[in-house]
Amino acid sequence: MSYFKQFSKLLKQFNRSEDGAVAVLVAVLMVLLIVFAGMAIDFGMGINTRRALSQALDNAVLAAANRLSTEDLSKDKVEEIIDEYLQANLKGSLGKGVELKELKVGYEPGGDEVSASVSAELKNNFMPLINLLNGGGDEHRMLNVGSSSTARYPRNNVEVTVIVDVTGSMYTHMDALKSASTRVLDALLPVGTNEKKSKIRVSFVPYSEGVKLETTLAEKATFYVSTLGCVHERVMDQAATDVAHDYEDDDGNTDYIGSGDDDCPTKAKVVPLTTDRSKIEDSIDDMEAGDGTAGQTGIAWGWYTISPEWADFWPDDSQPQPYDTKNIRKFAIFMTDGEFNRHYADKFDYSHVEQQRIVKIRQKRNRGTWTEGPNPDGSNKFTRSEHQWFASRIRWEEGTSSGESGIASVRAKAICESMKAKKITIYSVHFGDDKFAERVMKSCASNESTFYNADSDSELIQAFETISNDIKDIYLSQ
């Protein structure tokens, strides 16, 4: 029987009684008023307890989903994370005498959802008085409240390249850029990430007029033209593609990657795809501002780090997955603070390369080893040593350009369009007030929502943090 029906019955009994007095009725009503007031207090405590449970459980489930978005976890580990965060979030939030009941976690490895439910029992202070009106018992002594929460997380494996401008104009903002870059790591490769189980790999590409690779990789990429680890761009037919560094067309032509000796970051090196946070932290620490801005080179090398066409170039554990791999998502975070004003060209416009190719082709024909068109077995038409000879015939020269229609900007926009055609999501961040650079970066972004304009150090840091959290694509589903 409900409380109100019980009270109504009692009042009707008093109304029919001819023996009662006003004082007795007033006394009874006072008791009822006290009981009602006490019930309101008890219910208020219950509501507050449920609110605290809901907030704490939502945060705990979201924390587990955050971890699951970056690495695979066992069910026991997920339960441990949720329980740990739940207890931490509830600390000091529950009233006296509140007892947590069993925590239940729903999670299946390989899925895309984690859920949890929990209840609490609290002692009523006033509602037990109702039992006195019913002749005793402890039916209303305790109040149970509960809450549940569910969070979804992506099942995808993720490859992210972070491409940052370390040119001279960033001199007074380098600390902010380092903080922003670290925020990306905090979201995508948080401290404590299991490197073997992580579902996210990140590459890091600091650029100025070029980028700096490990010496052996730079020599490999340029056919030994580079001697100091600095490399820059391709400038012929393959400049806006991701074909491998040693790619040949059907006639054996190769668009060689150049090197400008020391025209690249002094210490901060490109870090290919990795789950090892410390490798990227080392490159972040090494960042120093200097030289001009070749954004087309930065975005190109960022692309190479996540392109499957370059898989054989990088170390085994840094090889990008094919574009058509199930549940693979590829992202680029591309940042600059000014217009792109540096580019490269061959002083002889590849004429010396072509002369040497003609000589080699004639020799091969004389020996009967030259095949018109592609080789039937798919092999290259020239050996690596022959490519080394051709590449050495190039005389790389640095040029300057400006504006949205400048050579560097046009090349950058072409590369961005090619990346987007491969379903790579590009987040672009323009830092500062250069309108030409802003328009180029807007053009590079995948859409309006992936373009960010930062006017201050704090906005730069916030943009990187927002982007990295967006990449994780986590949300509470209920």
Side-chain angles (χ1 to χ4, degrees), residues 297-350:
T297 297
I299 190 67
W301 277 98
W303 187 10
Y304 302 157
T305 65
I306 60 174
S307 168
E309 304 298 332
W310 283 69
D312 292 339
F313 178 83
W314 303 112
D316 290 346
D317 58 356
S318 296
Q319 294 181 354
Q321 294 190 39
Y323 290 120
D324 59 358
T325 301
K326 185 178 180 181
N327 293 327
I328 184 68
R329 297 173 65 185
K330 294 176 185 273
F331 300 89
I333 303 174
F334 181 29
M335 171 266 166
T336 190
D337 78 324
E339 66 177 335
F340 302 152
N341 54 23
R342 294 290 190 277
H343 65 273
Y344 286 87
D346 175 16
K347 178 180 180 180
F348 306 114
D349 197 25
Y350 265 62

Side-chain angles (χ1 to χ4, degrees), residues 250-252 361 364-365 368-377 381:
D250 291 347
D251 296 320
I361 291 172
K364 289 176 181 286
R365 281 177 175 154
T369 58
W370 179 257
T371 303
E372 299 299 332
N375 288 342
D377 62 357
K381 304 176 76 64

Side-chain angles (χ1 to χ4, degrees), residues 226-248:
S226 173
T227 56
L228 298 173
C230 290
V231 297
H232 49 77
E233 58 185 320
R234 291 189 281 215
V235 299
M236 301 299 284
D237 293 343
Q238 305 303 331
T241 75
D242 64 336
V243 296
H245 72 289
D246 57 354
Y247 168 85
E248 289 183 353

Side-chain angles (χ1 to χ4, degrees), residues 236-237 247-256 349-365 367 370-374 380-383 386-394:
M236 301 299 284
D237 293 343
Y247 168 85
E248 289 183 353
D249 65 15
D250 291 347
D251 296 320
N253 293 299
T254 294
D255 196 349
Y256 296 104
D349 197 25
Y350 265 62
S351 61
H352 288 192
V353 174
E354 184 59 24
Q355 290 171 7
Q356 296 303 313
R357 286 184 70 259
I358 292 172
V359 170
K360 289 293 182 183
I361 291 172
R362 185 183 302 117
Q363 292 174 351
K364 289 176 181 286
R365 281 177 175 154
R367 293 195 300 265
W370 179 257
T371 303
E372 299 299 332
N380 278 359
K381 304 176 76 64
F382 294 105
T383 65
E386 288 169 336
H387 277 300
Q388 183 177 339
W389 173 249
F390 298 154
S392 69
R393 301 300 93 192
I394 300 174

